[in-house]
Amino acid sequence: MTDAIAFTLNGQPRALPPATSPTMTLLDWLRGPAGLPGTKEGCAEGDCGACTVALEDAAGGRVPVNACLTLLGQMHGRAIRTVEGLGEAHPVPRILAEHDGTQCGFCTPGIVMAAWAALPDGADPHEALAGNLCRCTGYRPIIDAMAAMRALPSESAPVLPVARTGRFAAPGQDFWLPGDLAGLLALRAAHPDAWLLAGGTDLGLRVADHRERPPQVICLLAVPEMQAMSFAPEAITLGAAVPYHRLLAALRDLPGDDPLAGPFIRLLARLGSAQIRGLGSFGGNLGTASPIGDGLPPLVALGASVTLASVRGERVLPVADFLTGYRATDLAPDEVVLRIRIPRPGPGSLVAMEKLSRRHDQDITAVGLSALIAVEAGCVIAARLALGGVGPTILRAPCAEAALIGAPWSLATIRAAARALQADIAPMDDARGSAAWRRDAAAGLLERIWWRFQRADVEPADLDAV
């Protein structure tokens, strides 16, 4: 017995015909069977934002996502808003046009949806539009239009409840959306080769770009434990499928002097785009195990651990041990990543999460360095450094750490550690940078940490846009 994929679309309930492919992208369905071509296809990789739609909730929340990376099975039980659901008379597209924020118009529906999704939160326009590419109009009139939109009154729309669990089938395909952990683990034990799908911001590329048609998918989004998030004095604990946008909002609510808040906010605000953060998660970053994954160096530097679960029980590993090589992990075939525990640093700890990429926004790490350094009476008493983009996986830096520990907290010590760092890393040449550049960049990021904390009472300025 299988279920029909059902969701709320532009305020109205919608149930899809039996045997609809659950791994068809939302974009293909909108532009095809749904007859809603306002959502455009640009890159089919989550980079251009032309396919932006928004997910709504009953509390008025709006989360932009890339329809090109989103699979229909993931959308079961959700509420989706497309540009047709706003309509030509809506003030957002009207204000955009009045400010000359359109030209060829191809990117405009995605920009309209990104702007509309950002309105309730009053998000910074640069952050809200980081995932939307405009090649002809330029961003200045679009930014001006978004500033004018802030005066718009709030609005509400019906969000109709739909059950979030189900099993969907099409010829040669099974897609499960379990609603409890026991059901998830039983499915994983029975189908160890199935795709484990959370946000799909990486796996979705295999469908959108490479046109793969996975025979079996287990989606994690409806399991409560996967969506749990807690902030305790000793640690932050995240379910593996907690989307980045929820974590980012929670971090922004922390006190300004929290040692994790500022560094994590700076990093997460650059992780992909608002659309990628709408569904992407730390669990997905761990499962992908890319050496240039933005979220992995902080987890290793902070001594985070990961809980793996199966029908056999749970086991806990340090993230550093979970990552075993290039895109390789210690995950057994019948296991899932259940949660991540991030210890909170003690008094006197300095936390830094630095990233270099070819573009400030919407670009994966070329070289990343995260650090946890404890200073007492002007001396470094502990140090953990983790780097991405300089080896086959995320690397600790034992030589650089040894140069720091026991030495005065000074620029001379940092520069000595930067020299020692060269023995810890093994970068390679690729399209994002040469090995020589990566070595210099890693040393430069370590020195940047010193300057970031040189004046504890002054937050260094980062030039993001002019």
Side-chain angles (χ1 to χ4, degrees):
M1 183 70 179
T2 60
D3 304 300
I5 298 172
F7 42 70
T8 300
L9 179 65
N10 295 329
Q12 300 298 319
R14 191 74 179 254
L16 305 190
T20 298
S21 171
T23 65
M24 179 187 294
T25 66
L26 176 60
L27 175 63
D28 284 347
W29 181 80
L30 288 172
R31 294 185 57 79
L36 297 173
T39 305
K40 305 303 182 187
E41 179 175 356
C43 66
E45 294 183 346
D47 283 334
C48 73
C51 69
T52 301
V53 299
L55 303 182
E56 302 178 85
D57 63 39
R62 305 168 187 170
V63 179
V65 298
N66 295 116
C68 72
L69 299 180
T70 304
L71 308 187
L72 285 179
Q74 289 173 282
M75 293 295 96
H76 181 67
R78 293 180 176 266
I80 307 160
R81 181 74 51 175
T82 72
V83 70
E84 289 90 350
L86 298 187
E88 295 180 4
H90 192 278
V92 168
R94 175 178 55 78
I95 290 172
L96 191 65
E98 289 173 350
H99 284 76
D100 298 319
T102 67
Q103 193 163 323
C104 81
F106 186 87
C107 67
T108 302
I111 290 173
V112 165
M113 295 311 299
W116 181 76
L119 282 179
D121 297 329
D124 174 79
H126 293 283
E127 184 176 317
L129 295 173
N132 291 83
L133 179 65
C134 176
R135 290 194 177 275
C136 52
T137 303
Y139 289 94
R140 178 53 56 196
I142 299 171
I143 296 296
D144 292 342
M146 285 194 69
M149 292 175 197
R150 289 177 176 166
L152 293 176
S154 60
E155 58 185 277
S156 60
V159 177
L160 309 179
V162 179
R164 286 293 308 279
T165 62
R167 178 197 169 198
F168 318 113
Q173 288 193 302
D174 280 298
F175 189 110
W176 294 276
L177 190 63
D180 58 72
L181 183 59
L184 166 63
L185 299 182
L187 282 169
R188 189 55 175 165
H191 306 283
D193 295 325
W195 283 15
L196 285 176
L197 180 69
T201 55
D202 188 55
L203 282 178
L205 283 169
R206 293 172 60 178
V207 176
D209 208 9
H210 304 295
R211 313 312 291 179
E212 290 189 41
R213 186 181 168 88
Q216 296 179 328
V217 177
I218 303 171
C219 186
L220 312 176
L221 294 179
V223 177
E225 290 88 343
M226 290 282 184
Q227 298 291 338
M229 179 170 58
S230 66
F231 287 72
E234 68 280 0
I236 298 173
T237 305
L238 303 171
V242 170
Y244 291 122
H245 80 91
R246 279 185 57 207
L247 174 59
L248 186 56
L251 289 167
R252 284 173 167 157
D253 286 338
L254 293 179
D257 59 354
D258 188 289
L260 286 183
F264 255 132
I265 289 169
R266 279 193 297 272
L267 183 75
L268 292 178
R270 293 181 59 192
L271 196 156
S273 61
Q275 292 91 328
I276 296 296
R277 295 191 294 273
L279 288 173
S281 65
F282 271 118
N285 228 196
L286 284 165
T288 301
S290 169
I292 49 177
D294 290 5
L296 300 185
L299 296 183
V300 174
L302 291 168
S305 60
V306 58
T307 298
L308 311 177
S310 71
V311 292
R312 296 175 286 110
E314 296 183 1
R315 63 188 179 111
V316 180
L317 282 178
V319 169
D321 294 339
F322 175 74
L323 304 170
T324 58
Y326 179 74
R327 291 189 175 272
T329 72
D330 196 53
L331 190 70
D334 65 341
E335 287 182 319
V336 300
V337 176
L338 178 59
R339 71 178 70 91
I340 302 103
R341 183 181 185 275
I342 306 171
R344 306 190 81 161
S349 296
L350 305 177
V351 178
M353 302 174 192
E354 305 292 348
K355 167 185 171 178
L356 290 176
S357 55
R358 294 178 70 88
R359 302 189 306 270
H360 182 271
D361 293 303
Q362 187 71 341
D363 200 5
I364 202 161
T365 298
V367 176
L369 189 154
S370 291
L372 173 61
I373 300 172
V375 179
E376 188 176 284
C379 182
V380 178
I381 60 171
R384 291 177 61 94
L385 307 178
L387 294 99
V390 293
T393 187
I394 306 303
L395 301 180
R396 283 284 298 276
C399 294
E401 292 171 1
L404 289 170
I405 296 171
W409 175 238
S410 67
L411 183 57
T413 295
I414 283 285
R415 287 177 172 168
R419 292 190 294 272
L421 180 65
Q422 301 308 310
D424 293 318
I425 60 179
M428 59 181 287
D429 296 325
D430 67 12
R432 289 186 174 86
S434 67
W437 175 82
R438 281 188 157 96
R439 287 187 178 278
D440 289 344
L445 288 180
L446 187 53
E447 183 165 330
R448 179 188 289 186
I449 292 172
W450 159 260
W451 292 110
R452 192 173 288 284
F453 292 105
Q454 174 64 6
R455 288 281 306 277
D457 59 329
V458 177
E459 175 68 15
D462 293 311
L463 180 61
D464 297 338
V466 292

